Amino acid sequence: MEVVITLSPQHAAEVAADSICRLLEDDPRSVLGLATGSSPLALYRALIARHRDGQVSFAQARAFTLDEYVGLPPGHAESYREVIRRELEDHVDFPAGAVTGPDGHAGDLSRAGRDYEEAIVSAGGVDLQVLGIGTDGHIAFNEPGSSLNSLTRIKALTRQTRSDNARFFGGNLEEVPRLCLTQGLGTIRRARHLVLIATGAAKAPAVAAMVEGPLGAACPASVLQLHPHVTVLLDGPAASGLQHRDYYETAWAAKPAWQGV
Ligand code: GLP
């Protein structure tokens, strides 16, 4: 993993935006993987600003979102499909239908999971997947105990995740759905470049377990250790649990600036 300890959450967002803009410049038809949660919001704002400045276009791109709650009414403001629409899609030039998410309203959720896998494969796979990490080490909604090879499927949320996400539901834990449809760890591992953003001290234990802890289902994000191209963008507080922080800082400083992440 390439661990980059950035100066601030905004700096982390700009480094991630650089990577996405470079990808779309090289191949405007690239396939992006989009994440929800608060971690990527500064990235999306940076992409919107660059799009308005004419620096990046999504006109030929496609995107797949990571996960979706099950049990929210259609169009609910906190459904992940709505969040992506509001935070990014409505402000850039993705063509209609270019952004897709798992169908949390499907009558047959197992089938919806399989269909989603097929759609990603038919699109040629995800070129760059944006990720956040939960305080319990989940990525997408792959909670501890998830199979490291899992594919898109229905999953129950832990109480910790529901309580972390209650802030999006007026602080009311009971309003947070208990189930979701989520890309699996196997799905995420197929993406060609993974860019994970984590900021703030609350993420420090999960980040340390992901980067330096043993590989295992106790910290689902640790499966990223097996991936050949992962960029972990942190701020200082999120990096505070890392034992080898000095090494990561030296390695990043030694990298030629033109190379990017
Ligand atoms: C959510 C999402 C994840 C996200 C994580 C962290 O539950 N399913 O995709 O990365 O939890 O969220 P946040 O960035 O708000 O801390």
Side-chain angles (χ1 to χ4, degrees), residues 136-138 142-148 185 214-223:
D136 63 359
H138 73 240
N142 293 280
E143 299 285 26
S146 291
S147 155
L148 304 184
L185 296 171
L215 170 66
C219 176
S222 66
V223 76

Side-chain angles (χ1 to χ4, degrees), residues 1-245:
M1 288 187 190
E2 179 169 51
V3 178
V4 184
I5 303 167
T6 62
L7 302 172
S8 63
Q10 186 57 34
H11 183 206
E14 297 294 342
V15 175
D18 287 347
S19 193
I20 291 177
C21 291
R22 215 170 17 247
L23 176 74
L24 289 170
E25 197 176 302
D26 287 352
D27 182 359
R29 296 165 64 88
S30 294
V31 179
L32 301 175
L34 301 175
T36 43
S38 46
S39 303
L41 293 181
L43 162 64
Y44 298 153
R45 286 193 293 269
L47 289 173
I48 293 165
R50 291 178 192 211
H51 172 68
R52 288 187 177 147
D53 283 353
Q55 295 174 41
V56 64
S57 169
F58 301 82
Q60 297 181 67
R62 292 193 60 181
F64 290 91
T65 64
L66 276 176
D67 46 9
E68 183 55 277
Y69 290 114
V70 169
L72 290 180
H76 189 287
E78 290 310 322
S79 86
Y80 281 171
R81 192 62 197 82
E82 284 303 310
V83 170
I84 289 292
R85 219 188 298 283
R86 189 168 67 233
E87 301 295 344
L88 179 65
E89 194 182 345
D90 280 352
H91 310 281
V92 296
D93 58 347
F94 278 115
V99 182
T100 318
D103 182 4
H105 295 106
D108 182 344
L109 289 164
S110 305
R111 175 79 197 263
R114 290 195 297 275
D115 289 349
Y116 200 57
E117 290 290 325
E118 276 179 33
I120 295 173
V121 171
S122 312
V126 171
D127 293 299
L128 186 152
Q129 175 66 57
V130 177
L131 292 169
I133 183 170
T135 57
D136 63 359
H138 73 240
I139 50 174
F141 269 139
N142 293 280
E143 299 285 26
S146 291
S147 155
L148 304 184
N149 277 329
S150 47
L151 300 178
T152 305
R153 71 215 183 286
I154 190 165
K155 193 81 190 155
L157 303 177
T158 62
R159 187 178 171 82
Q160 185 176 336
T161 296
R162 293 180 61 240
S163 132
D164 286 347
N165 287 0
R167 68 190 192 280
F168 298 115
F169 292 84
N172 186 352
L173 180 64
E174 286 313 306
E175 295 286 314
V176 185
R178 292 167 191 277
L179 295 174
C180 66
L181 196 58
T182 180
Q183 284 191 29
L185 296 171
T187 321
I188 293 167
R189 288 171 60 191
R190 287 184 193 147
R192 289 180 265 281
H193 181 195
L194 306 177
V195 177
L196 185 142
I197 302 172
T199 58
K203 298 291 172 68
V207 166
M210 165 179 71
V211 176
E212 297 176 337
L215 170 66
C219 176
S222 66
V223 76
L224 303 192
Q225 293 170 21
L226 294 174
H227 194 283
H229 191 189
V230 183
T231 305
V232 180
L233 299 173
L234 307 172
D235 66 353
S240 60
L242 292 169
Q243 276 185 39
H244 301 285
R245 179 178 177 154

